[in-house]
Amino acid sequence: MTRQEFSSILLEHRKASGTAVKDLCFQLNCMPTGIYRIENGSHNYNMQKCLDYAKAIGVSLVLENTSLYEQIQDYGHMITVLCDARRTMMSQAQLANSSGISRNMIGKIETRKSIVTIDMLLRLISVLGLSIKIIAHE
């Protein structure tokens, strides 16, 4: 999945939820440009803000593969799932080599000293053999 495809799916869910951009701005304490940045996928955006956006429109992200199905509750949970998946498969150095993300950055992500962007997330899940889905809350 590309950033643009991911963003397009989020936009479809926002429209289906009937949530107005001005309401999201109020809930997320941001300007409309922050919402449009996520929805149009033309910029590499912060996943912590994206997860707040998803929660506000009533959807969740799911990371899965043949042995894992995790509905992401918040940013910390997402990092825990990624760390656990990485630890069962490879070292930080191996993930760095395969993903093109520096070993230093992977360490910062895992210790929560740096925020994952959508582009980093998509590279990490690809290398870890995970897929991502966006599901509406029932």
Side-chain angles (χ1 to χ4, degrees):
M1 179 179 297
T2 67
R3 175 187 346 132
Q4 290 77 16
E5 291 167 335
F6 181 85
S7 296
S8 177
I9 294 167
L10 280 175
L11 175 59
E12 290 172 19
H13 279 284
R14 182 192 50 88
K15 288 179 177 178
S17 75
T19 307
V21 170
K22 66 180 173 112
D23 296 330
L24 277 176
C25 292
F26 180 76
Q27 288 180 346
L28 303 177
N29 192 29
C30 70
M31 299 296 291
T33 53
I35 304 301
Y36 298 136
R37 183 180 187 106
I38 291 171
E39 292 181 347
N40 70 25
S42 62
H43 297 87
N44 189 14
Y45 48 82
N46 171 322
M47 280 307 297
Q48 192 164 24
K49 290 180 183 177
C50 180
L51 288 167
D52 292 342
Y53 171 100
K55 185 176 181 179
I57 63 169
V59 299
S60 293
L61 305 184
V62 172
L63 295 177
E64 65 180 343
N65 65 17
T66 56
S67 61
L68 174 77
Y69 181 92
E70 282 288 333
Q71 188 170 334
I72 303 304
Q73 305 302 317
D74 55 35
Y75 183 79
H77 181 228
M78 182 184 78
I79 297 303
T80 299
V81 170
L82 291 172
C83 289
D84 291 348
R86 193 259 321 147
R87 285 185 186 115
T88 62
M89 299 175 63
M90 62 187 73
S91 68
Q92 286 182 347
Q94 290 169 319
L95 180 57
N97 288 335
S98 298
S99 68
I101 298 169
S102 75
R103 158 62 190 84
N104 186 39
M105 179 57 77
I106 290 173
K108 286 181 178 182
I109 290 167
E110 290 188 0
T111 58
R112 293 164 174 78
K113 293 178 181 169
S114 187
I115 302 292
V116 173
T117 64
I118 182 63
D119 289 348
M120 280 188 221
L121 176 67
L122 294 173
R123 281 191 279 167
L124 291 171
I125 65 173
S126 175
V127 170
L128 294 170
L130 300 170
S131 62
I132 190 167
K133 289 192 317 189
I134 301 169
I135 60 168
H137 297 163
E138 296 177 9

